[in-house]
């Protein structure tokens, strides 16, 4: 399918027309573990990667394949790999390049689960993550050494909601053969990181892509825009014989298939060995969500901007955090990288932890959950939940003050959202709406 089609069209059509066997227009759920080979030659060709096709659902599945093609098309990538969760996508994106003794450089502003993965689990595996200020491309340069295999940032990290200089960080990496991985979970459709020089995009599809809050899933998109071969020394994982696949050198073995060495290696080694496969049923559900994602994301943005405006004038609210309220370089980057809206996340600060908790406990419409990106509006008090394992000082460094409340604004009618916020704020602060 032509990648010139607009996102609204790709979200409905990319990767699928109709079932060749039945003519079914909806993508069928191919609920099968295995696939009958035509003959022994066919089986041997599939295993040797001389031909791409279905072998076993841990490695790939026709329903999941449509999801992968659709998200790759939306991001302008060449191929994608769907996984059981966003966490698996983040882990594989890094482990596909970096081994024990190697390092990556990551921005500090990360989802807590990614932080733990990087600071503890990957560290235990001998893979060092060097954390730097995500707004400073020179900090990425300075932390790079001969064993640095990738840079990692989030497009719109909460709670600070400050967009990093994606193009400058990507360019710093490209100078020395280091690809940039961008977690675009909070800004699908708004930002296409590959257009700004990123080489790989990861998603928790659990969030805005699915939107329905029914399915956990993750996706890695390969931009096909990074010359791994030109940086053979820097990227040994893709340029030296892989003993786990009869000595294949991934940049060479995948050449007939296009610039897909990175994603094929992730599928044929990490997914094969670790097994974080997405179920076909969840792939189907995520596809249902993606069909309407462009409409939803637009409404998320519209409602969130209205909530931010309203909160910024509301008595008892010390500070409101949303890109539309930023100034200076942060605002310029938000406008440059987020096209069509500033996302659905809004933060605000009340006087202290007690007010924050009281606000959450007073909500009637908004759900009190740890998720973001659901079609429904959601809220949480990070200091006592998502960030409770951090010290007060660490919390502050990540942007979480005791009175901080995180909202993920949904697609309900804005009047109903504001009415619920209003009554919960009045209960928490004892103050009615300001003039
Ligand atoms: N990345 C970001 C920015 C997230 O917000 C999340 C989940 O909250 C993840 C990754 C992890 O995704 P999942 O929960 O699907 O494993």
């Amino acid at each position: 399918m032509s990648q010139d089609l607009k996102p609204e069209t790709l979200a409905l059509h990319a990767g699928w027309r109709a079932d060749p066997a039945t003519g079914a227009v909806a993508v069928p759920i191919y609920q099968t573990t295995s696939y009958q080979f035509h003959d022994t030659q066919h089986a041997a060709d599939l295993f040797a990667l001389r031909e791409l096709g279905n072998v076993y659902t841990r490695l790939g599945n026709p329903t999941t394949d449509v999801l992968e093609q659709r998200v790759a098309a939306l991001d302008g990538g060449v191929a994608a790999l769907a996984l059981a969760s966003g966490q698996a996508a983040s882990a594989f994106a890094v482990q596909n390049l970096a081994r024990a003794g190697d390092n990556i450089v990551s921005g500090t502003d990360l989802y807590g689960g990614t932080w733990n993965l990087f600071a503890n689990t990957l560290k235990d595996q001998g893979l060092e993550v060097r954390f730097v200020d995500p707004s400073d491309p020179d900090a990425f340069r300075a932390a790079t050494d001969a064993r640095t295999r990738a840079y990692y940032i989030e497009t719109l990290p909460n709670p600070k909601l400050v967009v990093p200089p994606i193009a400058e960080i990507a360019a710093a990496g490209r100078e020395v053969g280091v690809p940039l991985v961008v977690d675009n979970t909070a800004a699908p459709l708004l930002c296409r990181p590959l257009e700004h020089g990123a080489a790989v995009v990861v998603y928790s599809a659990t969030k805005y892509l699915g939107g329905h809050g029914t399915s956990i899933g993750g996706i890695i998109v390969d931009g096909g825009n990074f010359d791994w071969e030109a940086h053979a020394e820097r990227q040994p994982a893709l340029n030296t014989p892989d003993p786990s696949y009869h000595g294949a050198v991934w940049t060479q073995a995948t050449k007939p298939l296009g610039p897909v060495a990175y994603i094929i290696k992730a599928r044929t080694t990490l997914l094969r060995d670790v097994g974080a496969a997405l179920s076909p049923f969840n792939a189907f559900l995520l596809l249902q969500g993606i069909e309407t994602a462009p409409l939803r994301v637009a409404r998320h943005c519209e409602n969130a901007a209205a909530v931010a405006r309203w909160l910024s004038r509301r008595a008892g609210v010390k500070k409101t955090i949303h890109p539309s309220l930023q100034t200076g370089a942060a605002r310029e980057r938000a406008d440059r990288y987020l096209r069509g809206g500033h996302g659905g996340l809004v933060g605000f600060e009340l006087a202290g932890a007690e007010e924050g908790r009281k606000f959450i406990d007073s909500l009637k419409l908004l759900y009190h959950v740890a998720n973001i990106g659901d079609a429904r509006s959601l809220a949480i008090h990070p200091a006592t939940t998502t960030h409770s394992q951090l010290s007060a000082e660490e919390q502050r460094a990540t942007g979480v003050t005791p009175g901080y409340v995180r909202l993920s604004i949904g697609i309900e009618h804005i009047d109903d959202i504001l009415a619920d916020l209003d009554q919960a704020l009045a209960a928490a602060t004892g103050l009615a709406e300001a003039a």
Side-chain angles (χ1 to χ4, degrees):
M1 174 136 347
S2 160
Q3 300 226 334
D4 294 338
L5 294 173
K6 302 279 188 275
E8 293 80 354
T9 313
L10 291 171
L12 284 157
H13 292 279
W16 182 255
R17 184 65 194 171
D19 183 41
T22 63
V25 169
V27 178
I29 305 169
Y30 289 97
Q31 194 72 24
T32 181
T33 59
S34 315
Y35 307 84
Q36 164 92 342
F37 303 122
H38 308 328
D39 50 35
T40 52
Q41 187 59 48
H42 180 224
D45 287 345
L46 289 173
F47 274 84
L49 297 179
R50 282 189 293 272
E51 193 180 321
L52 286 185
N54 299 310
V55 174
Y56 188 59
T57 282
R58 169 152 45 78
L59 294 169
N61 170 278
T63 309
T64 308
D65 178 60
V66 180
L67 172 66
E68 290 165 344
Q69 289 192 49
R70 197 156 292 183
V71 178
L74 284 170
D75 263 310
V78 289
L81 178 65
L83 295 163
S85 67
Q87 282 298 105
S90 303
F92 280 19
V94 170
Q95 290 170 320
N96 204 35
L97 297 173
R99 299 171 176 154
D102 294 339
N103 66 76
I104 69 160
V105 182
S106 171
T108 45
D109 295 354
L110 294 173
Y111 164 62
T114 311
W115 177 275
N116 254 325
L117 169 72
F118 286 1
N120 298 306
T121 300
L122 293 187
K123 186 176 168 207
D124 287 348
Q125 296 173 357
L127 202 167
E128 184 196 353
V129 180
R130 300 174 173 182
F131 293 103
V132 298
D133 175 357
S135 64
D136 182 5
D138 284 336
F140 285 80
R141 278 193 188 91
T144 303
D145 67 13
R147 299 291 299 265
T148 303
R149 307 290 181 233
Y151 292 166
Y152 193 101
I153 54 171
E154 289 185 16
T155 311
L156 184 61
N158 78 77
K160 290 182 191 163
L161 302 180
V162 173
V163 179
I166 300 172
E168 286 77 7
I169 298 170
R174 281 178 184 271
E175 285 164 15
V176 289
V178 174
L180 174 64
V181 180
V182 177
D183 180 339
N184 201 37
T185 297
L189 297 153
L190 301 173
C191 181
R192 302 209 327 161
L194 301 176
E195 288 177 353
H196 304 292
V200 175
V201 182
V202 301
Y203 287 101
S204 166
T206 315
K207 311 293 183 322
Y208 292 98
L209 286 177
H212 33 48
T214 64
S215 317
I216 303 280
I219 299 180
I220 306 177
V221 180
D222 185 343
N225 60 1
F226 198 86
D227 192 346
W228 306 102
E229 234 181 313
H231 303 285
E233 240 176 78
R234 167 74 71 189
Q235 301 297 344
L238 293 174
N239 286 290
T240 52
D242 186 341
S244 90
Y245 218 96
H246 43 69
V249 175
W250 290 108
T251 47
Q252 306 307 315
T254 57
K255 233 172 214 163
L257 307 172
V260 289
Y262 174 87
I263 208 76
I264 296 266
K265 176 181 179 283
R267 183 188 298 281
T268 51
T269 63
L270 287 168
L271 182 55
R272 176 197 63 185
D273 299 345
V274 181
L278 184 68
S279 81
F281 185 60
N282 276 6
F284 170 82
L285 291 172
L286 292 171
L287 277 166
Q288 303 312 297
I290 289 171
E291 289 190 353
T292 57
L295 288 173
R296 279 188 289 105
V297 166
R299 177 64 83 90
H300 280 294
C301 290
E302 195 185 309
N303 279 353
V307 165
R309 252 190 330 270
W310 183 86
L311 282 169
S312 68
R313 296 182 198 132
R314 183 65 163 76
V317 174
K318 279 169 49 182
K319 187 175 173 191
T320 306
I321 297 107
H322 185 259
S324 65
L325 301 173
Q326 291 164 358
T327 54
R331 176 57 185 275
E332 278 168 26
R333 294 198 298 266
D335 291 346
R336 173 178 174 199
Y337 291 116
L338 305 177
R339 294 294 177 84
H342 286 129
L345 301 174
V346 181
F348 67 95
E349 285 178 23
L350 294 175
E354 200 188 318
E355 286 80 1
R357 292 176 73 152
K358 191 133 192 243
F359 170 82
I360 297 284
D361 285 334
S362 306
L363 291 168
K364 296 192 171 98
L365 180 72
L366 275 74
Y367 283 89
H368 176 202
V369 298
N371 198 18
I372 59 166
D374 195 305
R376 303 157 192 82
S377 289
L378 317 172
I380 198 157
H381 179 235
T384 52
T385 57
T386 53
H387 290 62
S388 57
Q389 274 106 37
L390 305 184
S391 68
E393 201 173 304
E394 286 171 329
Q395 286 191 2
R396 229 176 292 278
T398 65
V400 171
T401 56
Y404 185 96
V405 174
R406 182 184 79 195
L407 303 176
S408 173
I409 297 300
I411 61 172
E412 301 95 340
H413 195 288
I414 186 64
D415 293 353
D416 296 328
I417 297 171
L418 293 181
D420 196 37
L421 295 177
D422 184 43
Q423 64 79 24
L425 275 171
T429 65
L431 297 168
E433 187 170 3

